[in-house]
Structures are given as structure tokens and as C-alpha cells.
Amino acid sequence: MPLRQDQWRAPSLCTAWTVRDVLAHLTTTTRLTVRKVAREAIKARGSFDRMEVTMAAASAERYSTTELLEQLHDSAESTRRFPGSSPMDPLMDLVIHAQDIARPLQLTCSSPAHVVTACLTHVIGNRFMGAPRRVKGLHLVSTDSPWEHGSGIEVQGPDRDLLLVVSGRPDGLNTLNGPGVQTLHERLRAA
């Protein structure tokens, strides 16, 4: 289902990006070189987040929505990935950012359950994304798969919402249950 122009301009769950900016970000992962990343990191004064926001904005400005969609399609068939990333990172990025786009637009986007669980397993130990800090002292338990992680105060919920929360998105809190939800809420608010 194609999006309308106003939907492309809508805010995403990524506070610095519109839906179209998220699309532009997803197209960069297979097109970057070490040299380009180094140059952009220097321009961003070492801030990875600032670098990502700037690169997505530049791509969104440079290409039409149709071109960005074509690039995303091409990226799906590429074996290239962001310098320094693991083979799982592009899939995880796509699964999370699909929710960043769909939820604010009140659209349903579902990834295969085993893929979401694999992404959750990948993100939970990712220091770069801040997950270990967010979930310290919590026992996360999936309500739709056998997945669980950690020990301490329990938090239960669907894998896709656990994935959003451990990757720093408060929107995932809405379906979580358990005494540890308040701790997650406070940690996400403080970030």
C-alpha cells in the first residue's frame, strides 16, 4: 500500500526523523564506505546519532521518494552493509525502523516472529544501542515465544514491543506488563 504525501512527512518514532527520513536512512546502509563514515563522523564531531540524522536528511533531500524506495529494494538484495556492522544489523535495522514508520501512521507492519525474536536476541547485548544499560536488573519474558533474558524484576510482553523498548523506543511500553515496566519507563524517559 503506497503512502500519501502527508504520511511521508509525518513524524516517526525516531524523534529527529519523518517517515521519509527513516526510509532515507534505511537506504544508506549498503551505500556507505569507511571513508564516507569517517568523513561524516568528523563533521558530526564524533556523534554517531548526529551523523545518522545528517546523512538521512541529505539523502532525503537528494533523492525522490520513488528513488529512495528503489534504493531500499536494491539494498535488500545487497550483501554490503554499514562498515563495522554485523550481518544481523541490516535486518534488525529494518525490523525496528518498520515499526518506527508504521506505528505513528497507525498501520500494521508485522515481521515473521522468528525474525523479531532473532533481532531481539541481537539487540539485547548491543552496548552501542544502549540495551544492556536499559535492561540491567530486569528479567524480560516474551509472551509470544520462549525468549527470555536477564534476572531481576520481571517485564513481560510481545517480542516486537520488547524489541522497541530495548532499542530505546517508549512506544513499546504500551503492551508490556510486570513490576519492571516502571523501571523501563524511567530509564527511557531519562535517556
Side-chain angles (χ1 to χ4, degrees):
M1 172 176 75
L3 298 181
R4 300 181 316 264
Q5 286 303 318
D6 62 309
Q7 290 175 309
W8 285 115
R9 291 188 299 270
S12 73
L13 292 185
C14 301
T15 55
W17 287 340
T18 65
V19 166
R20 192 167 180 282
D21 292 333
V22 175
L23 170 63
H25 163 71
L26 288 169
T27 68
T28 63
T29 58
T30 59
R31 289 169 176 75
L32 290 175
T33 63
V34 172
R35 173 183 253 167
K36 171 104 173 141
V37 170
R39 186 173 59 243
E40 294 299 325
I42 290 168
K43 283 198 248 179
R45 299 182 308 279
S47 168
F48 184 79
D49 289 338
R50 191 175 317 134
M51 178 185 80
E52 288 287 348
V53 168
T54 301
M55 287 190 315
S59 185
E61 178 72 26
R62 182 175 181 185
Y63 299 105
S64 71
T65 303
T66 300
E67 289 171 318
L68 291 171
L69 289 167
E70 289 170 0
Q71 289 177 18
L72 182 62
H73 183 268
D74 292 344
S75 294
E77 297 176 1
S78 176
T79 58
R80 290 192 63 195
R81 59 182 191 272
F82 193 86
S85 66
S86 78
M88 188 66 186
D89 287 321
L91 178 60
M92 175 264 320
D93 213 26
L94 185 61
V95 169
I96 293 171
H97 286 313
Q99 294 300 315
D100 290 336
I101 290 171
R103 287 183 179 215
L105 298 177
Q106 298 180 346
L107 299 173
T108 302
C109 178
S110 58
S111 300
H114 71 282
V115 171
V116 178
T117 305
C119 291
L120 183 54
T121 299
H122 178 69
V123 171
I124 200 73
N126 190 319
R127 293 186 199 293
F128 184 72
M129 293 181 72
R133 170 180 44 80
R134 265 181 222 107
V135 302
K136 184 177 180 181
L138 298 175
H139 179 212
L140 305 180
V141 179
S142 171
T143 56
D144 55 12
S145 78
W147 187 89
E148 61 181 278
H149 175 81
S151 61
I153 306 168
E154 190 163 294
V155 175
Q156 298 177 358
D159 283 349
R160 70 179 181 186
D161 292 316
L162 290 170
L163 177 61
L164 286 178
V165 168
V166 300
S167 64
R169 286 135 172 100
D171 195 73
L173 290 167
N174 298 333
T175 63
L176 302 185
N177 296 299
V181 173
Q182 183 61 37
T183 301
L184 277 172
H185 180 72
E186 290 168 5
R187 289 176 182 173
L188 288 168
R189 189 175 52 216

